[in-house]
Amino acid sequence: MCANVIIAEDDEKQAELLRRYLEREGHAVTVVGDGLAALDAVRHREPDLLVLDVMMPRADGLDVVRVLRAEHRELPVLMLTARTTEDDLLLGLDLGADDYVTKPYSPRELMARVRTLLRRNRRAASAAEAAPVDAAVLTVGTLVVDPTRHVVSVDGGAVECTPGEFRILAALAAEPERVFSRQQLLAELHGFDRYISDRTVDVHVMNLRKKIEPAPRRPARLLTVFGVGYKLTDPAKAAARASS
């Protein structure tokens, strides 16, 4: 599974270590040392994966992710961070990163996560090539998910979703009322991988509720089924059932 990988890391020793591990697995590697250089490299090289340090000069990793997702670039992003508080870690996922590793990290764990992200990205590309040109638009009440155009709308208004949010929402919308466990939704994000926390799913669900629910703290569409997981429902149909 050879891939083009960009490493954005201002610590030269860390960058060299990462480069050696990635090249040992057959990947072509480009190393840059700041956030602006990372953006430039992504725009010109169209990599398969970006390994991105959070704390960098000129533009930090969080700003890089913001810009890339605003440009609708969907390449996998693996963030490296020395920040260990949950809020700091989840902010990267909120902005559109696919996964994160906290420093100091095990090179073996890091490479396992790299392989997971690359496998998932290749599966998604293969599925897109095999899918019909006009894949069915998914509609759950006034929520519309268009897998072909990769767009979402609610009550006629466009909703901007990160790649991770879109994958979860599309899976839920394809089978309304079905309860998905966190592990099942995690498989939509990363495939089955023991290194990834199912807390990632909760973050994406929380962010989706902010975007598709009139009252995110009292969700009517994206519901929690306690002790099991989540499901997507049509609020109008749910209200009709409750009143009958």
Side-chain angles (χ1 to χ4, degrees):
M1 188 192 299
C2 298
N4 294 315
V5 181
I6 292 176
I7 299 171
E9 167 66 82
D10 63 325
D11 184 317
E12 293 183 2
K13 290 183 179 179
Q14 288 289 325
E16 177 62 15
L17 178 65
L18 288 171
R19 184 187 65 77
R20 288 181 180 179
Y21 271 93
L22 287 163
E23 289 183 344
R24 189 178 300 169
E25 295 206 359
H27 303 305
V29 181
T30 301
V31 177
V32 297
D34 65 74
L36 294 184
L39 288 170
D40 185 65
V42 169
R43 290 163 179 159
H44 288 87
R45 296 179 180 274
E46 297 292 338
D48 300 300
L49 173 69
L50 173 62
V51 180
L52 179 66
D53 187 29
V54 171
M55 301 300 291
M56 288 190 299
R58 301 181 72 197
D60 68 22
L62 298 177
D63 287 333
V64 171
V65 174
R66 282 191 187 96
V67 172
L68 292 177
R69 296 318 187 204
E71 294 177 353
H72 303 289
R73 297 180 187 272
E74 297 183 11
L75 80 155
V77 177
L78 173 62
M79 300 197 78
L80 308 176
T81 177
R83 300 172 177 176
T84 56
T85 67
E86 187 175 70
D87 287 345
D88 287 329
L89 298 176
L90 299 184
L91 177 58
L93 295 175
D94 185 9
L95 293 173
D98 295 270
D99 194 12
Y100 58 81
V101 177
T102 56
K103 297 180 179 181
Y105 51 79
S106 159
R108 290 182 63 189
E109 177 185 350
L110 178 67
M111 294 311 300
R113 294 185 184 225
V114 165
R115 288 190 292 270
T116 295
L117 289 174
L118 289 174
R119 279 196 303 267
R120 189 212 69 200
N121 199 44
R122 288 174 187 251
R123 282 198 304 268
S126 297
E129 290 177 2
V133 174
D134 295 316
V137 174
L138 308 172
T139 303
V140 184
T142 60
L143 172 69
V144 179
V145 181
D146 187 336
T148 301
R149 296 167 56 222
H150 208 279
V151 295
V152 177
S153 66
V154 174
D155 298 324
V159 176
E160 292 291 331
C161 292
T162 68
E165 292 165 3
F166 186 88
R167 286 191 290 273
I168 286 179
L169 191 59
L172 292 167
E175 299 185 67
E177 301 296 337
R178 175 187 166 184
V179 181
F180 287 78
S181 70
R182 287 175 176 82
Q183 284 300 315
Q184 288 169 326
L185 292 175
L186 195 60
E188 295 294 329
L189 289 169
H190 298 289
F192 292 100
D193 189 276
R194 66 188 180 89
Y195 290 109
I196 312 297
S197 168
D198 58 10
R199 180 73 176 99
T200 302
V201 172
D202 297 333
V203 175
H204 287 309
V205 168
M206 178 180 65
N207 292 329
L208 280 168
R209 283 173 172 163
K210 294 175 183 176
K211 298 175 179 181
I212 69 172
E213 298 280 7
R217 292 182 179 275
R218 299 191 303 276
R221 289 188 176 91
L222 212 176
L223 306 180
T224 300
V225 179
F226 291 101
V228 184
Y230 299 102
K231 71 175 182 177
L232 195 65
T233 191
D234 178 353
K237 289 182 179 179
R241 287 195 299 266
S243 62
S244 61

